[in-house]
Amino acid sequence: MKQYALHYIYAALFLVVATAARGIRIIPRSIQVLRDSLHLHLLMDLNQVSVGSSLAITFTPVLSHKKQQLDLSAVVISGTRRERTDRRERFLEHNTDETAFYTRLHNNRRTDSRTVDYRISVPFASWMQHASLLLRQESKDCCEHYLLGTDTLK
């Protein structure tokens, strides 16, 4: 049964994302179910993504099947001002859930590469056998969060 789930998830991942037209490339490295965990390894190429100084773009992988949904840790690319503001907010609000982010990238000229070697393990549940892998993209400016889109990685 777990082998079926792996084949289904691999099929979903092997199509190199429809978001490539917007400068995003997701390359699957491996997906394994070991014991009671799902291990996911992706290469996220975000080198073509450019954000303004006061913007942040969040890329959140999501496992979804019918009403079940699991948001995985997000990758965030922030402009200079947005990064400074977010750092200040994190410092002042001690209840911020920093574990929601896999990594934060600062969008400046000194950033050599924005390729993220994304590795995560989550407890395996039976609904994941038929789950789709989605990529939710959100933008944040000074005042609002905007949903840019949700792409199915299959």
Side-chain angles (χ1 to χ4, degrees), residues 5 8-9 22 26 51-52 54 58 77 81 89 97 117 138:
Y8 185 76
I9 294 174
R22 286 180 251 154
I26 310 293
V51 298
S54 60
T58 305
I77 300 177
R81 287 185 191 151
E89 287 175 0
D97 186 15
D117 192 24
E138 297 171 301

Side-chain angles (χ1 to χ4, degrees), residues 1-141:
M1 197 69 158
K2 288 182 181 179
Q3 286 292 358
Y4 175 74
L6 286 178
H7 291 295
Y8 185 76
I9 294 174
Y10 264 124
L13 286 174
F14 270 113
L15 297 167
V16 178
V17 193
T19 56
R22 286 180 251 154
I24 305 165
R25 258 185 48 206
I26 310 293
I27 302 167
R29 293 295 185 201
S30 69
I31 300 173
Q32 298 176 339
V33 176
L34 297 175
R35 295 186 185 97
D36 60 349
S37 297
L38 175 69
H39 300 274
L40 180 64
H41 180 197
L42 304 171
L43 186 64
M44 300 176 80
D45 182 357
L46 306 171
N47 286 308
Q48 300 300 313
V49 176
S50 181
V51 298
S53 179
S54 60
L55 268 171
I57 298 180
T58 305
F59 301 96
T60 308
V62 178
L63 286 171
S64 177
H65 179 67
K66 296 184 180 177
K67 293 185 179 184
Q68 300 282 356
Q69 182 171 316
L70 177 64
D71 292 1
L72 303 176
S73 298
V75 175
V76 180
I77 300 177
S78 296
T80 305
R81 287 185 191 151
R82 181 80 256 153
E83 176 63 28
R84 192 176 322 129
T85 304
D86 287 346
R87 192 175 334 122
R88 188 179 307 124
E89 287 175 0
R90 285 192 309 272
F91 180 76
L92 294 174
E93 297 176 13
H94 298 290
N95 61 353
T96 323
D97 186 15
E98 193 61 30
T99 59
F101 301 107
Y102 185 80
T103 190
R104 293 176 166 276
L105 302 172
H106 188 185
N107 186 44
N108 63 18
R109 292 184 201 114
R110 288 175 270 151
T111 305
D112 292 334
S113 174
R114 279 187 257 148
T115 302
V116 177
D117 192 24
Y118 189 92
R119 295 174 188 257
I120 195 163
S121 297
V122 295
F124 185 78
S126 60
W127 65 267
M128 292 179 184
Q129 294 174 358
H130 306 290
S132 298
L133 183 63
L134 310 173
L135 183 66
R136 185 174 57 233
Q137 303 161 53
E138 297 171 301
S139 174
K140 178 182 179 184
D141 62 11

